[in-house]
Amino acid sequence: MKKIVTSFIASIALVSTLSAADFYATVDGDKITKQDIDVLLQDPRINFDQLPQEAKNQILEGAINRKLIAKKAIKDGIEKDTQYVEAISKIKEDLALQVWQSKEIEKLKFSDTEKKDFYEKNKARFVIPETFEASHILVENEADAKNIIKEIEKASNKEAKFKELAQSKSKDPSKANGGYLGKFSAEQMVPEFSTAVQSLPKGGYSKTPTKTQFGYHVIYVKDKIAGKSLSYDEVKENINQILIAEKFNKKIDELVQSLRKDAKIVIK
């Protein structure tokens, strides 16, 4: 059931492709459409119209050849083949479901009042949490961690020293990058590590080791980016999609329950 619901955006894209009016050539009167070209490209990120002319010519020739062979197969009676008939039946079922989903989704409209009401009731869902940019040195025992802290304290350039010690002493894979962990929110790290990071100032480093299930950490906080609440205007399009998904979910659940009551279902 979730598979059906989560595919509704893909359904819209499919229907848009099917209804595309663009065509690039004809073969005995049959159009070579954008859909025919996309089958050969096999990558929605590629824009056929922006390709070099030589590449476009090759792809178009390939599409023409496919059309010719397909027409030959139909002429030879492939449409009567059992395998073909079964495949078409399956495709028709899947296509019917996707087009139906698209049509049902198009019916779901929400006013600004409804969207603003949802925003006011769910502001906690539209918050970017505080973000940290930090590095760490991970060792197996507390004594080693304390010695590392002493070495950092003696250094004039503490950030450079931290990176050097991470590369030579840390047992974490991040040692290759000087212990750099990138940017993360507190929820992405184990609690003990997050608490330590939150307590350090920007540009600060551990004065005492932090123990976690992985060992002992010495931490350097390069930056702290304050969290913020997103405004309605920043998230209104997201809200529209959330409301559509929730309404469509509910509709599907109710419809399936109704249909199952009258259906004869046998599970072997």
Side-chain angles (χ1 to χ4, degrees):
M1 179 53 54
K2 286 183 179 178
K3 233 175 173 183
I4 293 174
V5 175
T6 55
S7 68
F8 75 89
I9 293 177
S11 301
I12 296 174
L14 172 65
V15 174
S16 297
T17 301
L18 290 178
S19 62
D22 296 338
F23 70 96
Y24 300 93
T26 60
V27 177
D28 295 332
D30 288 348
K31 294 176 180 178
I32 302 292
T33 66
K34 185 178 184 301
Q35 186 184 8
D36 296 315
I37 297 298
D38 288 345
V39 168
L40 290 177
L41 292 176
Q42 296 186 341
D43 188 340
R45 295 170 298 179
I46 299 175
N47 187 332
F48 174 76
D49 295 322
Q50 294 180 358
L51 291 175
Q53 190 59 48
E54 184 178 352
K56 289 168 67 175
N57 290 342
Q58 289 179 349
I59 293 166
L60 186 54
E61 287 299 319
I64 290 170
N65 292 341
R66 283 174 57 88
K67 182 74 74 174
L68 286 168
I69 295 171
K71 288 169 73 68
K72 172 70 165 58
I74 292 170
K75 185 178 179 180
D76 288 349
I78 195 67
E79 291 175 303
K80 296 178 183 178
D81 183 86
T82 301
Q83 186 177 350
Y84 176 88
V85 172
E86 290 177 353
I88 285 294
S89 177
K90 176 62 176 173
I91 290 170
K92 286 172 67 175
E93 187 177 283
D94 289 343
L95 185 58
L97 175 60
Q98 291 181 3
V99 173
W100 177 84
Q101 285 183 144
S102 176
K103 296 295 183 183
E104 292 300 312
I105 289 163
E106 287 175 3
K107 298 176 185 177
L108 302 178
K109 308 292 182 183
F110 298 92
S111 67
D112 284 339
T113 300
E114 289 174 303
K115 287 183 277 190
K116 286 178 181 176
D117 182 61
F118 182 88
Y119 173 76
E120 291 298 330
K121 292 178 179 177
N122 296 275
K123 282 188 175 181
R125 295 175 64 172
F126 306 109
V127 174
I128 297 176
E130 182 180 19
T131 304
F132 306 92
E133 186 175 7
S135 302
H136 80 139
I137 301 170
L138 177 64
V139 291
E140 292 182 354
N141 61 73
E142 187 175 16
D144 287 343
K146 286 182 176 179
N147 287 333
I148 287 169
I149 292 170
K150 288 179 182 178
E151 289 191 57
I152 295 171
E153 287 174 342
K154 294 176 185 176
S156 56
N157 188 329
K158 298 187 181 343
E159 184 177 3
K161 187 64 177 178
F162 190 99
K163 184 181 291 187
E164 175 193 320
L165 291 169
Q167 291 172 336
S168 62
K169 297 182 180 296
S170 181
K171 67 173 188 174
D172 189 78
S174 64
K175 66 185 292 182
N177 295 318
Y180 184 64
L181 295 171
K183 295 179 180 180
F184 55 88
S185 63
E187 292 75 17
Q188 291 176 276
M189 299 295 181
V190 293
E192 303 90 343
F193 191 92
S194 294
T195 299
V197 170
Q198 288 171 311
S199 68
L200 291 169
K202 177 180 176 179
Y205 63 93
S206 302
K207 298 300 188 291
T208 57
T210 298
K211 186 178 186 303
T212 72
Q213 66 203 67
F214 305 106
Y216 290 84
H217 305 259
V218 179
I219 304 166
Y220 173 80
V221 176
K222 183 175 182 179
D223 198 8
K224 300 177 87 167
I225 302 115
K228 71 165 189 170
S229 296
L230 297 171
S231 68
Y232 170 73
D233 286 338
E234 289 177 297
V235 298
K236 62 182 178 182
E237 288 306 317
N238 288 356
I239 290 174
N240 192 57
Q241 293 302 314
I242 292 169
L243 290 173
I244 287 174
E246 289 183 352
K247 189 88 176 264
F248 191 67
N249 264 344
K250 184 177 179 181
K251 180 181 179 68
I252 288 291
D253 287 340
E254 292 173 350
L255 179 60
V256 167
Q257 292 305 315
S258 174
L259 293 173
R260 289 177 73 93
K261 289 178 183 177
D262 298 325
K264 183 179 179 180
I265 300 172
V266 179
I267 300 175
K268 292 184 179 181

